Coordinates of all heavy atoms in Angstrom, one line a residue:
S1 N 162.0 52.7 9.0 CA 161.7 52.7 10.4 C 162.9 53.2 11.3 O 162.7 53.7 12.4 CB 161.2 51.4 10.9 OG 162.2 50.4 10.9
L2 N 164.1 53.0 10.8 CA 165.3 53.3 11.5 C 165.8 54.7 11.3 O 166.8 55.1 11.9 CB 166.4 52.3 11.2 CG 166.2 50.9 11.7 CD1 167.3 49.9 11.0 CD2 166.4 50.8 13.2
L3 N 165.2 55.4 10.3 CA 165.6 56.8 10.1 C 165.5 57.6 11.3 O 164.4 57.7 11.9 CB 164.9 57.4 8.9 CG 165.1 56.9 7.5 CD1 164.2 57.6 6.5 CD2 166.6 57.0 7.2
S4 N 166.6 58.2 11.8 CA 166.5 59.1 12.9 C 166.0 60.5 12.5 O 166.1 60.9 11.3 CB 167.9 59.2 13.6 OG 168.8 59.6 12.7
A5 N 165.6 61.3 13.4 CA 165.0 62.6 13.1 C 165.9 63.5 12.2 O 165.4 64.1 11.3 CB 164.7 63.4 14.4
P6 N 167.2 63.6 12.5 CA 168.1 64.5 11.6 C 168.2 63.9 10.2 O 168.7 64.7 9.4 CB 169.4 64.5 12.4 CG 169.1 64.0 13.7 CD 168.0 63.0 13.6
F7 N 167.9 62.7 10.0 CA 168.2 62.0 8.8 C 166.9 61.9 7.9 O 166.9 61.4 6.8 CB 168.7 60.6 9.0 CG 169.4 60.0 7.9 CD1 169.9 60.8 6.8 CD2 169.6 58.6 7.8 CE1 170.5 60.2 5.7 CE2 170.2 58.0 6.8 CZ 170.7 58.8 5.7
Q8 N 165.8 62.4 8.5 CA 164.5 62.2 7.8 C 164.2 63.3 6.8 O 163.2 64.1 7.0 CB 163.4 62.0 8.8 CG 163.5 60.7 9.6 CD 162.3 60.6 10.6 OE1 161.6 61.5 10.9 NE2 162.1 59.4 11.2
Y9 N 164.9 63.5 5.8 CA 164.6 64.5 4.8 C 163.7 63.8 3.7 O 163.8 62.7 3.4 CB 165.8 65.2 4.3 CG 166.8 64.4 3.5 CD1 166.8 64.3 2.1 CD2 167.9 63.8 4.2 CE1 167.7 63.6 1.4 CE2 168.8 63.1 3.5 CZ 168.7 63.0 2.1 OH 169.7 62.3 1.4
D10 N 162.9 64.7 3.1 CA 161.8 64.2 2.3 C 162.2 63.3 1.2 O 161.5 62.3 0.9 CB 160.9 65.4 1.8 CG 160.2 66.1 2.9 OD1 160.1 65.5 4.0 OD2 159.9 67.3 2.7
A11 N 163.2 63.7 0.5 CA 163.6 62.9 -0.7 C 163.9 61.4 -0.4 O 163.5 60.5 -1.1 CB 164.8 63.6 -1.4
L12 N 164.7 61.2 0.7 CA 165.0 59.8 1.1 C 163.8 59.0 1.5 O 163.6 57.9 1.1 CB 166.1 59.8 2.1 CG 166.5 58.4 2.7 CD1 167.0 57.5 1.6 CD2 167.5 58.6 3.8
Q13 N 162.9 59.7 2.3 CA 161.7 59.0 2.8 C 160.8 58.7 1.6 O 160.3 57.6 1.5 CB 161.0 59.9 3.7 CG 161.5 60.0 5.1 CD 160.7 60.8 6.0 OE1 160.3 61.9 5.8 NE2 160.3 60.2 7.2
S14 N 160.7 59.6 0.6 CA 159.9 59.4 -0.5 C 160.4 58.2 -1.4 O 159.7 57.4 -1.8 CB 159.8 60.7 -1.4 OG 159.0 60.5 -2.5
W15 N 161.8 58.2 -1.6 CA 162.4 57.1 -2.3 C 162.1 55.7 -1.6 O 161.7 54.8 -2.3 CB 163.9 57.3 -2.5 CG 164.5 56.4 -3.5 CD1 164.8 56.7 -4.8 CD2 165.0 55.1 -3.3 NE1 165.4 55.6 -5.4 CE2 165.5 54.6 -4.5 CE3 165.0 54.2 -2.2 CZ2 166.0 53.4 -4.7 CZ3 165.5 52.9 -2.4 CH2 166.1 52.5 -3.6
L16 N 162.3 55.7 -0.3 CA 162.0 54.4 0.4 C 160.6 54.0 0.3 O 160.3 52.8 0.2 CB 162.5 54.6 1.8 CG 164.0 54.5 2.1 CD1 164.3 54.9 3.5 CD2 164.5 53.1 1.8
Q17 N 159.7 55.0 0.4 CA 158.2 54.6 0.3 C 157.9 54.0 -1.1 O 157.2 53.1 -1.2 CB 157.4 55.9 0.5 CG 157.4 56.3 2.0 CD 156.5 55.4 2.9 OE1 156.0 54.4 2.5 NE2 156.4 55.8 4.2
D18 N 158.5 54.7 -2.1 CA 158.3 54.2 -3.5 C 158.9 52.8 -3.7 O 158.3 51.9 -4.3 CB 158.9 55.1 -4.5 CG 158.1 56.4 -4.7 OD1 156.9 56.3 -4.4 OD2 158.6 57.4 -5.3
A19 N 160.1 52.6 -3.1 CA 160.8 51.3 -3.2 C 159.9 50.2 -2.5 O 159.8 49.1 -3.0 CB 162.2 51.3 -2.6
K20 N 159.3 50.6 -1.3 CA 158.5 49.6 -0.6 C 157.2 49.3 -1.5 O 156.9 48.1 -1.6 CB 158.0 50.2 0.7 CG 159.0 50.2 1.8 CD 158.3 50.8 3.1 CE 157.0 50.1 3.5 NZ 156.4 50.7 4.7
S21 N 156.6 50.3 -2.1 CA 155.5 50.0 -2.9 C 155.8 49.1 -4.1 O 155.0 48.2 -4.4 CB 154.9 51.3 -3.4 OG 154.4 52.1 -2.3
Y22 N 156.9 49.4 -4.7 CA 157.3 48.6 -5.9 C 157.6 47.2 -5.4 O 157.2 46.2 -6.1 CB 158.6 49.2 -6.5 CG 159.1 48.5 -7.7 CD1 158.5 48.8 -9.0 CD2 160.0 47.5 -7.6 CE1 158.9 48.1 -10.1 CE2 160.4 46.8 -8.7 CZ 159.9 47.1 -10.0 OH 160.3 46.4 -11.1
A23 N 158.4 47.0 -4.4 CA 158.7 45.7 -3.9 C 157.4 44.9 -3.5 O 157.3 43.7 -3.8 CB 159.7 45.7 -2.7
T24 N 156.5 45.5 -2.9 CA 155.2 44.9 -2.5 C 154.5 44.5 -3.8 O 154.0 43.3 -3.8 CB 154.3 45.8 -1.7 OG1 155.1 46.3 -0.5 CG2 153.1 45.2 -1.2
A25 N 154.3 45.4 -4.7 CA 153.6 45.1 -5.9 C 154.2 44.0 -6.8 O 153.5 43.1 -7.3 CB 153.4 46.4 -6.7
V26 N 155.5 44.0 -6.9 CA 156.2 43.1 -7.7 C 156.1 41.7 -7.1 O 156.1 40.6 -7.7 CB 157.6 43.5 -8.1 CG1 158.6 43.2 -6.9 CG2 158.1 42.8 -9.4
A27 N 156.2 41.6 -5.7 CA 156.0 40.4 -5.0 C 154.6 39.8 -5.3 O 154.5 38.6 -5.6 CB 156.2 40.5 -3.5
Q28 N 153.6 40.6 -5.3 CA 152.2 40.1 -5.6 C 152.1 39.8 -7.1 O 151.3 38.8 -7.5 CB 151.2 41.2 -5.2 CG 151.2 41.4 -3.7 CD 150.3 42.5 -3.2 OE1 149.3 42.2 -2.5 NE2 150.5 43.7 -3.7
R29 N 152.8 40.4 -8.0 CA 152.9 40.1 -9.4 C 153.4 38.7 -9.5 O 152.8 37.9 -10.3 CB 153.7 41.1 -10.1 CG 153.8 40.9 -11.6 CD 155.2 40.2 -11.9 NE 155.4 40.1 -13.4 CZ 156.1 39.1 -13.9 NH1 156.7 38.2 -13.2 NH2 156.4 39.2 -15.2
Y30 N 154.5 38.3 -8.9 CA 155.0 37.0 -9.0 C 154.1 35.9 -8.3 O 154.0 34.8 -8.8 CB 156.4 37.0 -8.3 CG 157.5 37.5 -9.2 CD1 158.2 38.7 -8.7 CD2 157.9 36.9 -10.4 CE1 159.2 39.2 -9.5 CE2 158.9 37.5 -11.1 CZ 159.6 38.6 -10.7 OH 160.6 39.2 -11.5
M31 N 153.4 36.3 -7.2 CA 152.5 35.4 -6.6 C 151.3 35.1 -7.5 O 150.8 34.0 -7.6 CB 152.0 35.9 -5.3 CG 153.1 35.7 -4.2 SD 152.6 36.2 -2.5 CE 153.0 37.9 -2.5
A32 N 150.9 36.2 -8.3 CA 149.8 36.0 -9.3 C 150.2 35.0 -10.4 O 149.5 34.1 -10.7 CB 149.5 37.3 -9.9
V33 N 151.5 35.1 -10.9 CA 151.9 34.2 -11.9 C 152.0 32.8 -11.4 O 151.6 31.8 -12.1 CB 153.3 34.7 -12.4 CG1 154.0 33.7 -13.3 CG2 153.2 36.1 -13.1
E34 N 152.5 32.7 -10.1 CA 152.6 31.3 -9.5 C 151.2 30.7 -9.4 O 151.0 29.5 -9.7 CB 153.3 31.4 -8.2 CG 153.4 30.1 -7.5 CD 153.9 30.2 -6.1 OE1 154.0 31.3 -5.5 OE2 154.2 29.1 -5.5
R35 N 150.2 31.4 -8.9 CA 148.9 30.9 -8.7 C 148.3 30.5 -10.0 O 147.6 29.5 -10.1 CB 148.0 31.9 -8.0 CG 148.4 32.2 -6.5 CD 148.4 30.9 -5.7 NE 148.9 31.2 -4.3 CZ 148.1 31.6 -3.3 NH1 146.8 31.7 -3.5 NH2 148.6 31.8 -2.1
E36 N 148.4 31.3 -11.0 CA 147.9 31.0 -12.3 C 148.5 29.7 -12.9 O 147.7 28.9 -13.5 CB 148.1 32.2 -13.3 CG 147.3 32.1 -14.6 CD 148.1 31.2 -15.6 OE1 149.3 31.1 -15.5 OE2 147.4 30.7 -16.6
S37 N 149.8 29.5 -12.7 CA 150.4 28.3 -13.2 C 149.9 27.1 -12.5 O 150.0 26.0 -13.1 CB 152.0 28.4 -13.0 OG 152.3 28.4 -11.6
K38 N 149.3 27.2 -11.3 CA 148.7 26.1 -10.6 C 147.2 26.0 -10.8 O 146.6 25.2 -10.2 CB 149.1 26.2 -9.1 CG 150.6 26.2 -8.8 CD 150.8 26.3 -7.3 CE 152.3 26.2 -6.9 NZ 152.5 26.4 -5.5
G39 N 146.7 26.8 -11.7 CA 145.3 26.7 -12.0 C 144.4 27.5 -11.2 O 143.2 27.5 -11.3
D40 N 144.9 28.3 -10.2 CA 144.2 29.1 -9.3 C 144.1 30.5 -9.9 O 144.7 31.5 -9.4 CB 144.8 29.2 -7.9 CG 143.9 29.8 -6.8 OD1 142.8 30.3 -7.2 OD2 144.4 29.9 -5.7
V41 N 143.2 30.7 -10.9 CA 143.1 31.9 -11.7 C 142.5 33.0 -10.8 O 142.8 34.2 -10.9 CB 142.3 31.7 -13.0 CG1 142.3 33.0 -13.7 CG2 143.0 30.6 -13.8
G42 N 141.5 32.6 -10.0 CA 140.8 33.5 -9.1 C 141.8 34.3 -8.2 O 141.8 35.5 -8.0
S43 N 142.7 33.5 -7.5 CA 143.7 34.1 -6.6 C 144.6 34.9 -7.4 O 145.1 36.0 -6.9 CB 144.4 33.0 -5.8 OG 143.5 32.4 -4.9
A44 N 145.0 34.5 -8.6 CA 145.9 35.3 -9.5 C 145.3 36.7 -9.8 O 146.0 37.7 -9.7 CB 146.2 34.5 -10.8
I45 N 144.0 36.7 -10.1 CA 143.4 38.0 -10.3 C 143.4 38.9 -9.1 O 143.7 40.1 -9.1 CB 142.0 37.8 -10.8 CG1 141.9 37.1 -12.1 CG2 141.2 39.1 -10.9 CD1 140.5 36.6 -12.6
A46 N 143.2 38.2 -7.9 CA 143.1 39.0 -6.6 C 144.5 39.6 -6.3 O 144.7 40.7 -5.9 CB 142.7 38.1 -5.5
F47 N 145.6 38.8 -6.6 CA 146.9 39.3 -6.4 C 147.2 40.5 -7.4 O 147.9 41.5 -7.0 CB 148.0 38.3 -6.6 CG 148.2 37.4 -5.4 CD1 148.0 36.1 -5.4 CD2 148.7 38.0 -4.2 CE1 148.2 35.3 -4.2 CE2 148.9 37.3 -3.1 CZ 148.7 35.9 -3.1

């Protein structure tokens, strides 16, 4: 969000978008593991 116009070249934006997607998905992966460990298998599948 802080990238200024002269700094917004595609490679950096693409890398940051991929990093965001990865961080989001891996966070949900860990939340799935946590929910399953507590017996909430339905929520684990949803994550």
